[in-house]
Amino acid sequence: MIPLSLPAASEATRPYVTRLRVDPTTAIDEADAILVVEDEEGPSFSGLHGLLTLEGVCADALEGDVVLVQPDIGRAERLLRRGSPHNTLLVTERCDQLCVMCSQPPKKTHVDRFAFFEQACLLAEPNIVIGITGGEPTLYKDDLFGLIERVGLARPDIEFHILTNAQHFEASDIDRLRQDIFRRVSWGIPLYSHEPARHDEIVGKAGAFDRLQSSFHALLLAGARIELRTVLIQDNIDDLPQLARLVTSRLCFIESWSIMQLEKTGFARNRWVGLFADHKLSFEPVATALDYVLLHGKAVHLFNFPRCTVPAEYRALAPASISDWKRKFAPACATCREQDQCCGFFEWHPDEHANAWISPL
Amino acid sequence: MIPKKFLVSSLLAAGFLKPQTIQAQLTQAASMPIDEGAKLFQIFTQDHPLFFADHRSHRSHSSHRSHSSHRSGSGGHYSHTSHTSHRSSTGGYSGTPLYQTPAPRPSEPSPTPTPTPSEDTAAPSSTSTLGPRSLLQMPSSAAPDRATPPQLSPSAAIQARAERFKAIVRRVQIGLMGQGEYRGIIDGDVGPATRAALRRFQTIHGLSVTGTITPQVLDALRIASN
């Protein structure tokens, strides 16, 4: 696993954002910190905020990384890793839904780090997509929109992908969301069933389905780009064909639909047996949904579906979706020829399950 | 005969009659044609743009950093000795563009105890490449850094890290002391006295006044240079 949080010693007393530069000729911004020395334990950098000593990663792997240095806890968080297609900013840990399979159960506290994230975005490498997640980012809608607008103005090369439960979009947001900058924003929105009651039950919030529809209404009028996301569990796998009809008929303005396999962490860790829906055993509902959506010309993907667990004719829909820093392959995958195209497994997925499940290609 | 022999060899041992001292080489070099001098000059220059004048960096050059290609350039073979020659050249070899202002020669800081590598040192990873800007490339789940909670390092590792940090700060304090800007203790802590000294030093030398150990300060104190 790629470490995202590094032990750090710093002379600063307050948190700050800096970009690490191993090659001093690339240091062009005053926020850049330049490599001073590297020894076996790790590199030391120096910038406007002074000296910074890191540990656990060699300097070359940090070139161009944007880090948030937190002297109080002695850590440096790698907010944006250069060259990684999977850079995600966690803007809050609060959420107003409590999904049964949540991979990161929410917390009540909120630490406002928007200012740091904005600085980080401004220092990002050219042409990247920055993911924004939570918690629920739109609980702090003004801060979020402000960040996107300001960064978008300064950095026309940057795109955003924001995961939201879409419980907070209103008609009054439409004008703001119609701005050009929001063409570079894609919203990842979960929808678990065509049955309102089942969706509400899964997300742990009464009325969530209806609220989602009114958000869709606002987003449609704003011309927002939407990626619909459906995590498969035992409760909703048989709803897929009906959900596919809903997607193609009433939500035809969405850009793409992602059907996602469960991640064994957070709530799903202890509820795995009652949640995990083995699509390898019963691919029928998935196949029916895929056929229907494809027939209607909608983009659809299978995320976190190891390729060998998907019938060959649908394999092209299963990309290497798991983020680089938390992806692994099971021991049994060693002989597989399609590893480079496969999502593999989440770092915390039990190898015993993976080994028994897969059949290397 | 025997006593004479004995005398000569003991003088040799004491370094008195050593035929080729560095000073002698330098004197020779000064009277050499330009290209020969340039060759000698090269001995005293760094093959890599960044240089940290500390004994600890020898280790890193010899073992850890051997894979780095773009920084160490072509002639990595003499980088080990360059540190010592760098020092001895300050007085004798004037006129190189590298050293405009002769700096005071503060005594070496007491060698710091070598910290043992910490347990949680992870393997470096730089395998990721820039991919297409496709939706497929986006995180497939909402799970960012929570997966790597701050692990409490063993106190020994924290100690080692603090010591690496302090070793550099001590060099800065010694440098500032040599410049007459710092009169405090060489403790490796960036306290109010060190910050004030840094600000004075930065002001006097026309550097950005931050009160922190910036690349400019490290450069000016010749602790690290580009």
Side-chain angles (χ1 to χ4, degrees), chain B residues 20 24-40:
Chain B
Q20 280 290 67
Q25 281 177 18
L26 286 170
T27 328
Q28 263 182 325
S31 58
M32 274 178 188
I34 305 258
D35 54 334
E36 286 292 318
K39 198 188 283 174
L40 182 72

Side-chain angles (χ1 to χ4, degrees), chain B residues 34-55:
Chain B
I34 305 258
D35 54 334
E36 286 292 318
K39 198 188 283 174
L40 182 72
F41 171 71
Q42 221 182 25
I43 296 173
F44 296 110
T45 62
Q46 317 303 318
D47 62 331
H48 49 318
L50 274 168
F51 162 66
F52 184 68
D54 183 273
H55 62 102

Side-chain angles (χ1 to χ4, degrees), chain B residues 23 26 44 84-96 99 101-105 222:
Chain B
Q23 289 297 333
L26 286 170
F44 296 110
T84 38
S85 48
H86 181 79
R87 261 170 206 296
S88 54
S89 69
T90 29
Y93 194 65
S94 59
T96 67
Y99 309 118
T101 46
R105 298 279 308 277
R222 290 205 252 120

